[in-house]
Amino acid sequence: MANQSPLRFLKSTPVIIASLALAGQAVALHAVSRPENVSAAPALESFPKQVGAWRMGQEGYVDQETRDILKADDLLSRTYIRPGDPLPINLFIASFLSQRNGKAPHSPKNCLPGSGWSQLSSEVLHIDVPGSAPIEVNHYIVANRESKSDVMYWYQSRHRIVANEFKARFFVVADAIRYNRTDTALVKVFTPIAAGADARKDNIEFIQSMFPLLANYIPK
């Protein structure tokens, strides 16, 4: 081993792997050190009050303590009502122009226990939407004592829609390197489950009506 030439050492597999790792780290550090190239979208408060057959029922209030925890650049919390439906659809959007400096969407499934809700079931749905390939969304049934809700959510940016949290985190790094941006929005639609109503069907139909409008509020 003492007679091994420096050139042969440099061509060894461990050295090559270490060099590639260092190079990748350097690229990532350079990417995250540059100012991001993102223009703010229209304020979420201007999101249409009429969505297909639904009209706004109530503008929600997000207190300052919650805003400080979420660290979103813009928030929307609103209920919509469709004539003939017994219960409203709830729409929540948290928009982030950057995910640096500790700013990132909070996964709804991680927030459930702290707010008294427990998960009864979960799956990934593929929903047909106008003007796009089917989108993947997380679908949860949650319960808090006697109350149950049907919840659907996803992460959306200019380039993609992602349901899986781990995949979303991977794309944060990939987008920082390729596009010099890490913006995203958490979109959540949920409605109470009640006898005589199909909450899952209502959520899907609302998403299909809302989705074409949502693109106008995602940074270009």
Side-chain angles (χ1 to χ4, degrees):
M1 296 295 292
N3 295 325
Q4 186 180 40
S5 68
L7 183 59
R8 185 177 179 183
F9 171 75
L10 292 174
K11 291 182 178 179
S12 67
T13 300
V15 171
I16 292 174
I17 293 174
S19 299
L20 291 174
L22 288 172
Q25 185 180 41
V27 171
L29 287 173
H30 174 68
V32 300
S33 66
R34 295 176 295 162
E36 293 191 50
N37 184 26
V38 180
S39 299
L44 289 174
E45 66 180 2
S46 65
F47 195 85
K49 294 178 172 59
Q50 185 78 32
V51 176
W54 286 265
R55 59 178 176 78
M56 189 185 79
Q58 184 175 2
E59 192 79 60
Y61 171 72
V62 182
D63 60 80
Q64 191 58 49
E65 182 180 359
T66 302
R67 290 177 179 272
D68 292 340
I69 293 172
L70 294 176
K71 298 180 180 179
D73 293 294
D74 200 1
L75 290 170
L76 175 71
S77 179
R78 185 180 287 176
T79 62
Y80 285 85
I81 299 171
R82 180 170 61 175
D85 284 347
L87 296 170
I89 296 282
N90 298 271
L91 173 64
F92 176 83
I93 305 174
S95 176
F96 297 79
L97 296 180
S98 172
Q99 294 187 71
R100 297 175 182 173
N101 302 319
K103 295 175 62 176
H106 289 234
S107 170
K109 71 178 182 181
N110 294 332
C111 298
L112 290 173
S115 55
W117 293 86
S118 59
Q119 173 188 318
L120 299 182
S121 66
S122 67
E123 62 178 336
V124 174
L125 293 180
H126 292 80
I127 298 178
D128 293 321
V129 292
S132 171
I135 62 171
E136 280 191 353
V137 307
N138 296 296
H139 177 224
Y140 283 77
I141 303 296
V142 298
N144 186 343
R145 297 184 179 179
E146 300 303 317
S147 301
K148 294 181 181 179
S149 286
D150 189 281
V151 183
M152 299 182 186
Y153 73 91
W154 66 92
Y155 303 94
Q156 183 166 343
S157 66
R158 172 193 175 192
H159 299 284
R160 65 183 58 85
I161 294 168
V162 180
N164 183 278
E165 277 87 1
F166 295 103
K167 187 184 292 187
R169 290 170 191 165
F170 166 81
F171 282 122
V172 170
V173 177
D175 287 349
I177 295 172
R178 185 176 181 184
Y179 302 113
N180 188 31
R181 56 191 296 174
T182 61
D183 55 293
T184 193
L186 167 66
V187 185
K188 182 172 66 171
V189 174
F190 59 103
T191 191
I193 296 174
D198 190 337
R200 181 180 184 274
K201 180 174 178 288
D202 287 348
N203 275 346
I204 290 175
E205 291 177 354
F206 180 81
I207 289 171
Q208 290 171 329
S209 296
M210 177 270 293
F211 186 80
L213 303 172
L214 182 61
N216 298 321
Y217 295 85
I218 301 297
K220 299 294 189 282

